[in-house]
């Protein structure tokens, strides 16, 4: 069986600025492979530099860009789940990551949108697909819901239908046991 070792969510700026705490948070043991680095950021230049650093220093085998964080201290600054609402900025950040990944897979995770009036996931996922991501993950809630209410699994189906068949779509939200995962599929 193969495992995927995933870092905590870190900022691209923290990596670029060589913050010691950031490097502690992304340290993997030598026998941990494949390594996935979970990045978030609001600046395409910093994101591109961070991904280039991951490649040059061999810090991870996979970059997962987190556009799903609903925490107000992140969304108030325009990051996390709020960022796909800024379509051109979102696309620029994803393109910068993919362009600097040197063939390593880059994936994105997102939410349905900011709230019930502002759904962004279909447009954002299409932009991410056009930018060359390896997969798209959807937490089927809005940022306003955070982790409450019920995940809207039908949004995952709409996303699957909206993207090229060869692009993997991962579903997230309300999976508590194997039966839940089978029902989501």
């Amino acid at each position: 069986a193969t495992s995927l070792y995933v870092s905590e969510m870190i900022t691209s700026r923290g990596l670029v600025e060589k913050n010691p705490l950031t490097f502690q948070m992304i340290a993997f043991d030598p026998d941990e492979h494949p390594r996935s680095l979970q990045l978030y950021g609001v600046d395409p230049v910093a994101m591109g530099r961070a991904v280039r650093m991951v490649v040059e220093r061999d810090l991870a085998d996979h970059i997962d860009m987190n556009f799903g964080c609903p925490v107000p201290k992140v969304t108030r600054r325009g990051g996390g789940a709020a960022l796909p609402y800024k379509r051109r900025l979102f696309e620029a950040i994803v393109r910068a990551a993919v362009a600097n990944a040197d063939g390593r897979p880059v994936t994105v995770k997102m939410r349905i949108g900011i709230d019930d009036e502002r759904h962004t996931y279909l447009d954002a996922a299409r932009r991410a697909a056009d930018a060359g991501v390896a997969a798209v993950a959807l937490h089927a809630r809005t940022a306003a819901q955070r982790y409450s209410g019920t995940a809207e699994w039908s949004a995952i189906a709409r996303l699957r239908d909206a993207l090229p068949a060869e692009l993997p779509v991962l579903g997230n939200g309300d999976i508590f046991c194997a039966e839940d995962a089978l029902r989501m599929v």
Side-chain angles (χ1 to χ4, degrees):
T2 300
S3 299
L4 179 65
Y5 297 90
V6 182
S7 74
E8 294 183 53
M9 187 173 76
I10 63 159
T11 68
S12 55
R13 188 165 305 284
L15 195 57
V16 169
E17 293 175 356
K18 300 180 179 113
N19 181 299
L21 179 58
T22 298
F23 278 87
Q24 286 177 11
M25 292 170 64
I26 65 168
F28 292 97
D29 286 338
D31 60 338
E32 293 178 329
H33 284 280
R35 304 158 296 157
S36 178
L37 190 63
Q38 191 179 178
L39 276 177
Y40 93 96
V42 296
D43 175 30
V45 173
M47 185 61 74
R49 287 180 180 158
V51 171
R52 190 174 322 117
M53 182 182 289
V54 169
V55 171
E56 289 172 352
R57 295 184 179 202
D58 192 29
L59 299 174
D61 307 299
H62 163 249
I63 294 104
D64 184 38
M65 300 179 63
N66 190 323
F67 298 106
C69 181
V71 177
K73 77 174 188 175
V74 173
T75 58
R76 267 196 307 270
R77 295 180 184 148
L83 208 142
Y85 188 70
K86 300 174 181 174
R87 290 171 170 83
R88 287 190 298 273
L89 178 59
F90 169 83
E91 185 174 358
I93 291 170
V94 175
R95 285 190 181 282
V98 172
N100 285 281
D102 197 30
R104 291 181 196 218
V106 174
T107 56
V108 297
K109 62 180 147 202
M110 62 188 70
R111 286 185 173 244
I112 290 174
I114 295 173
D115 52 33
D116 287 336
E117 288 74 46
R118 293 171 285 188
H119 286 192
T120 55
Y121 72 106
L122 292 173
D123 180 68
R126 285 184 192 109
R127 288 172 186 267
D130 289 346
V133 298
V136 174
L138 180 66
H139 185 148
R141 286 184 169 84
T142 65
Q145 285 180 284
R146 296 200 196 165
Y147 301 96
S148 65
T150 303
E152 187 185 337
W153 290 354
S154 61
I156 299 165
R158 284 190 296 279
L159 181 60
R160 170 66 281 152
D161 292 342
L163 295 176
E166 65 276 5
L167 185 68
V169 172
L170 309 174
N172 186 348
D174 295 345
I175 303 290
F176 301 105
C177 63
E179 289 80 17
D180 292 341
L182 292 172
R183 281 189 310 111
M184 178 188 278
V185 171

